[in-house]
Amino acid sequence: MPSTNLIIFDCDGVLVDSERIVCRILAEEMNKLGMPASAEELDEQFSGRPAGDCLLEIEKRYGGPLPDHYFGNTERRIREAFHAELQPVAGIEGLLEQLVQMGLPSCVASSGSHQKMQLTLRKTGLYEYFDGRIFSAEDVSRGKPWPELFLYAADTMGTAPEHCLVVEDSIAGVRAATAAGMRVVGFAQPARAPLLEQAGAQVINNMMAVLDFL
């Protein structure tokens, strides 16, 4: 097994517990427009995908351009909920501290925008672990499930793909990491574990277990 010289973390659902908040609010706003949706369904459909792709799916279901107030209401409610509710994923702070002590480099590669990651990482106190090493789907031509984002992050960090370990929680992210030629650990609840395994991940449900794959 190649040595691990870089750990690449997804952000939402891996570093910050944001996906449940976003999916809940998206579902509530979609229901207001007459589009029946649940947070669980949206989490399954949108997890790990760029916001633009998710928007196209919602518009397709709506049957055309969404009303202007949809965007304003949704963005405002998500921002307010992040400030009120957002927490780090359980165990991530202990893992990041351990990596610092080991001197093992890490970075973030997320489908989220730089603006969103600035908000979520600062709100949860995790930004200092990744300052200057944060990569977004905004930086590449195609986001997850395509491999470009992970390859861009690894190249910028000066690390060959085979020496990268990716920590992901979404099928799109696992597929992207696998396509990039990187080993990938899937952080998941039991219900999603089989799907992540099928996509190519070795699944854990305790963040500190990442250390077992180094």
Side-chain angles (χ1 to χ4, degrees):
M1 181 182 299
S3 60
T4 300
N5 298 336
L6 174 68
I7 298 187
I8 305 177
F9 291 95
D10 178 41
C11 187
D12 298 297
V14 171
L15 299 177
V16 299
D17 192 14
S18 54
E19 290 188 332
R20 62 181 181 81
I21 296 174
V22 171
C23 290
R24 182 190 78 219
I25 293 172
L26 280 177
E28 290 171 356
E29 292 297 323
M30 288 173 68
N31 278 289
K32 290 178 184 177
L33 293 179
M35 294 181 284
S38 68
E40 293 76 18
E41 171 199 352
L42 297 184
D43 181 55
E44 185 69 29
Q45 185 176 5
F46 294 154
S47 179
R49 297 174 60 188
D53 291 356
C54 300
L55 176 59
L56 289 175
E57 292 288 342
I58 294 174
E59 287 188 328
K60 187 183 301 183
R61 188 181 301 192
Y62 186 66
L66 294 164
D68 289 341
H69 67 78
Y70 175 86
F71 302 98
N73 288 345
T74 303
E75 291 178 2
R76 175 185 54 79
R77 291 191 60 203
I78 289 174
R79 185 169 57 251
E80 291 173 351
F82 280 172
H83 282 293
E85 304 174 37
L86 191 62
Q87 296 291 326
V89 165
I92 191 62
E93 292 164 297
L95 173 60
L96 294 176
E97 280 296 324
Q98 185 66 37
L99 296 180
V100 170
Q101 294 177 22
M102 295 169 63
L104 185 59
S106 63
C107 67
V108 181
S110 170
S111 293
S113 67
H114 281 289
Q115 181 180 28
K116 179 183 175 184
M117 285 188 279
Q118 285 274 343
L119 170 61
T120 60
L121 293 175
R122 289 188 184 280
K123 174 65 175 65
T124 53
L126 301 179
Y127 184 82
E128 64 184 49
Y129 290 104
F130 302 106
D131 188 8
R133 305 185 312 281
I134 298 174
F135 305 96
S136 164
E138 294 175 328
D139 303 328
V140 294
S141 59
R142 298 187 299 182
K144 305 170 188 178
W146 308 104
E148 280 92 328
L149 177 56
F150 286 130
L151 292 172
Y152 172 68
D155 183 64
T156 304
M157 296 291 293
T159 306
E162 63 267 25
H163 293 292
C164 297
L165 178 68
V166 175
V167 184
E168 266 286 355
D169 74 318
S170 72
I171 296 170
V174 170
R175 287 174 176 165
T178 301
M182 300 176 181
R183 292 186 298 130
V184 56
V185 173
F187 177 68
Q189 298 301 317
R192 188 179 290 181
L195 296 176
L196 293 186
E197 289 176 346
Q198 291 171 17
Q202 299 182 77
V203 176
I204 61 172
N205 58 18
N206 180 337
M207 229 2 127
M208 292 302 288
V210 169
L211 299 173
D212 297 336
F213 296 88
L214 302 183

mmCIF file of all heavy atoms in Angstrom, residues 31-32 37 64 69 76 85 104 129 138 143 145 152 180-181 204 214:
data_model
loop_
_atom_site.group_PDB
_atom_site.id
_atom_site.type_symbol
_atom_site.label_atom_id
_atom_site.label_comp_id
_atom_site.label_asym_id
_atom_site.label_seq_id
_atom_site.Cartn_x
_atom_site.Cartn_y
_atom_site.Cartn_z
ATOM 1 N N ASN A 31 -41.411 22.387 -0.704
ATOM 2 C CA ASN A 31 -42.801 22.063 -0.402
ATOM 3 C C ASN A 31 -43.698 23.289 -0.502
ATOM 4 O O ASN A 31 -44.855 23.188 -0.928
ATOM 5 C CB ASN A 31 -42.902 21.434 0.991
ATOM 6 C CG ASN A 31 -42.574 19.946 0.983
ATOM 7 O OD1 ASN A 31 -43.330 19.134 0.474
ATOM 8 N ND2 ASN A 31 -41.426 19.582 1.533
ATOM 9 N N LYS A 32 -43.166 24.458 -0.150
ATOM 10 C CA LYS A 32 -43.940 25.691 -0.268
ATOM 11 C C LYS A 32 -44.301 25.991 -1.722
ATOM 12 O O LYS A 32 -45.306 26.637 -1.999
ATOM 13 C CB LYS A 32 -43.154 26.867 0.317
ATOM 14 C CG LYS A 32 -42.998 26.843 1.825
ATOM 15 C CD LYS A 32 -42.166 28.034 2.276
ATOM 16 C CE LYS A 32 -41.902 28.005 3.773
ATOM 17 N NZ LYS A 32 -41.026 29.134 4.202
ATOM 18 N N ALA A 37 -41.106 17.034 -1.098
ATOM 19 C CA ALA A 37 -39.723 16.589 -0.908
ATOM 20 C C ALA A 37 -39.463 16.422 0.576
ATOM 21 O O ALA A 37 -40.056 17.118 1.406
ATOM 22 C CB ALA A 37 -38.745 17.599 -1.513
ATOM 23 N N GLY A 64 -39.464 24.671 -14.641
ATOM 24 C CA GLY A 64 -39.030 25.952 -15.197
ATOM 25 C C GLY A 64 -38.246 26.735 -14.172
ATOM 26 O O GLY A 64 -37.954 26.233 -13.080
ATOM 27 N N HIS A 69 -37.954 34.789 -5.206
ATOM 28 C CA HIS A 69 -38.001 34.753 -3.740
ATOM 29 C C HIS A 69 -37.507 33.420 -3.187
ATOM 30 O O HIS A 69 -37.098 33.342 -2.018
ATOM 31 C CB HIS A 69 -39.416 35.047 -3.223
ATOM 32 C CG HIS A 69 -40.432 33.990 -3.561
ATOM 33 N ND1 HIS A 69 -40.533 32.800 -2.872
ATOM 34 C CD2 HIS A 69 -41.383 33.948 -4.522
ATOM 35 C CE1 HIS A 69 -41.511 32.077 -3.382
ATOM 36 N NE2 HIS A 69 -42.046 32.750 -4.392
ATOM 37 N N ARG A 76 -31.160 32.907 2.919
ATOM 38 C CA ARG A 76 -31.271 33.565 4.224
ATOM 39 C C ARG A 76 -31.489 32.556 5.339
ATOM 40 O O ARG A 76 -30.829 32.608 6.388
ATOM 41 C CB ARG A 76 -32.426 34.581 4.193
ATOM 42 C CG ARG A 76 -32.706 35.224 5.556
ATOM 43 C CD ARG A 76 -33.925 36.125 5.496
ATOM 44 N NE ARG A 76 -35.104 35.445 4.971
ATOM 45 C CZ ARG A 76 -35.866 34.612 5.685
ATOM 46 N NH1 ARG A 76 -35.565 34.340 6.952
ATOM 47 N NH2 ARG A 76 -36.927 34.036 5.131
ATOM 48 N N GLU A 85 -27.130 26.820 14.544
ATOM 49 C CA GLU A 85 -27.114 25.380 14.797
ATOM 50 C C GLU A 85 -25.814 24.663 14.442
ATOM 51 O O GLU A 85 -25.551 23.575 14.956
ATOM 52 C CB GLU A 85 -28.231 24.692 13.990
ATOM 53 C CG GLU A 85 -29.622 25.218 14.218
ATOM 54 C CD GLU A 85 -30.624 24.571 13.270
ATOM 55 O OE1 GLU A 85 -30.478 23.359 12.988
ATOM 56 O OE2 GLU A 85 -31.537 25.276 12.792
ATOM 57 N N LEU A 104 1.276 15.426 9.446
ATOM 58 C CA LEU A 104 0.725 14.936 8.179
ATOM 59 C C LEU A 104 -0.136 16.021 7.546
ATOM 60 O O LEU A 104 -1.140 16.448 8.130
ATOM 61 C CB LEU A 104 -0.103 13.677 8.410
ATOM 62 C CG LEU A 104 -0.653 12.971 7.170
ATOM 63 C CD1 LEU A 104 0.481 12.556 6.235
ATOM 64 C CD2 LEU A 104 -1.460 11.742 7.569
ATOM 65 N N TYR A 129 -7.245 25.080 10.769
ATOM 66 C CA TYR A 129 -6.598 23.826 10.362
ATOM 67 C C TYR A 129 -6.320 23.788 8.862
ATOM 68 O O TYR A 129 -5.477 23.009 8.412
ATOM 69 C CB TYR A 129 -7.467 22.630 10.734
ATOM 70 C CG TYR A 129 -7.560 22.351 12.209
ATOM 71 C CD1 TYR A 129 -8.710 22.685 12.926
ATOM 72 C CD2 TYR A 129 -6.513 21.744 12.898
ATOM 73 C CE1 TYR A 129 -8.807 22.425 14.282
ATOM 74 C CE2 TYR A 129 -6.598 21.476 14.266
ATOM 75 C CZ TYR A 129 -7.746 21.829 14.942
ATOM 76 O OH TYR A 129 -7.832 21.570 16.296
ATOM 77 N N GLU A 138 -15.604 25.467 -7.496
ATOM 78 C CA GLU A 138 -15.492 26.709 -8.261
ATOM 79 C C GLU A 138 -14.134 26.828 -8.965
ATOM 80 O O GLU A 138 -13.993 27.581 -9.932
ATOM 81 C CB GLU A 138 -15.652 27.917 -7.338
ATOM 82 C CG GLU A 138 -17.028 28.061 -6.716
ATOM 83 C CD GLU A 138 -17.094 29.203 -5.726
ATOM 84 O OE1 GLU A 138 -16.068 29.494 -5.072
ATOM 85 O OE2 GLU A 138 -18.179 29.813 -5.606
ATOM 86 N N GLY A 143 -17.095 19.576 -11.188
ATOM 87 C CA GLY A 143 -17.011 19.126 -9.804
ATOM 88 C C GLY A 143 -17.268 17.632 -9.679
ATOM 89 O O GLY A 143 -17.339 16.901 -10.661
ATOM 90 N N PRO A 145 -19.157 14.211 -9.461
ATOM 91 C CA PRO A 145 -18.328 12.999 -9.310
ATOM 92 C C PRO A 145 -17.113 12.922 -10.235
ATOM 93 O O PRO A 145 -16.488 11.869 -10.316
ATOM 94 C CB PRO A 145 -19.316 11.878 -9.635
ATOM 95 C CG PRO A 145 -20.210 12.490 -10.666
ATOM 96 C CD PRO A 145 -20.373 13.931 -10.245
ATOM 97 N N TYR A 152 -6.763 18.516 -8.772
ATOM 98 C CA TYR A 152 -6.278 19.898 -8.631
ATOM 99 C C TYR A 152 -5.719 20.127 -7.226
ATOM 100 O O TYR A 152 -4.648 20.735 -7.055
ATOM 101 C CB TYR A 152 -7.413 20.867 -8.930
ATOM 102 C CG TYR A 152 -7.091 22.309 -8.647
ATOM 103 C CD1 TYR A 152 -6.156 22.998 -9.413
ATOM 104 C CD2 TYR A 152 -7.739 23.003 -7.621
ATOM 105 C CE1 TYR A 152 -5.862 24.331 -9.158
ATOM 106 C CE2 TYR A 152 -7.452 24.331 -7.364
ATOM 107 C CZ TYR A 152 -6.512 24.989 -8.129
ATOM 108 O OH TYR A 152 -6.219 26.300 -7.868
ATOM 109 N N ALA A 180 -9.932 9.599 -9.478
ATOM 110 C CA ALA A 180 -8.659 10.314 -9.394
ATOM 111 C C ALA A 180 -7.494 9.400 -9.042
ATOM 112 O O ALA A 180 -6.346 9.842 -9.017
ATOM 113 C CB ALA A 180 -8.768 11.442 -8.362
ATOM 114 N N GLY A 181 -7.784 8.138 -8.771
ATOM 115 C CA GLY A 181 -6.734 7.192 -8.409
ATOM 116 C C GLY A 181 -6.288 7.308 -6.967
ATOM 117 O O GLY A 181 -5.147 6.966 -6.628
ATOM 118 N N ILE A 204 -16.220 3.838 7.475
ATOM 119 C CA ILE A 204 -16.067 3.966 8.917
ATOM 120 C C ILE A 204 -17.243 4.771 9.453
ATOM 121 O O ILE A 204 -17.916 5.479 8.702
ATOM 122 C CB ILE A 204 -14.751 4.682 9.288
ATOM 123 C CG1 ILE A 204 -14.730 6.106 8.690
ATOM 124 C CG2 ILE A 204 -13.536 3.886 8.814
ATOM 125 C CD1 ILE A 204 -13.578 6.963 9.161
ATOM 126 N N LEU A 214 -3.808 5.105 7.463
ATOM 127 C CA LEU A 214 -2.639 5.869 7.088
ATOM 128 C C LEU A 214 -1.445 4.978 6.796
ATOM 129 O O LEU A 214 -0.495 5.417 6.161
ATOM 130 C CB LEU A 214 -2.268 6.870 8.202
ATOM 131 C CG LEU A 214 -3.366 7.866 8.575
ATOM 132 C CD1 LEU A 214 -2.867 8.828 9.627
ATOM 133 C CD2 LEU A 214 -3.842 8.617 7.342
#
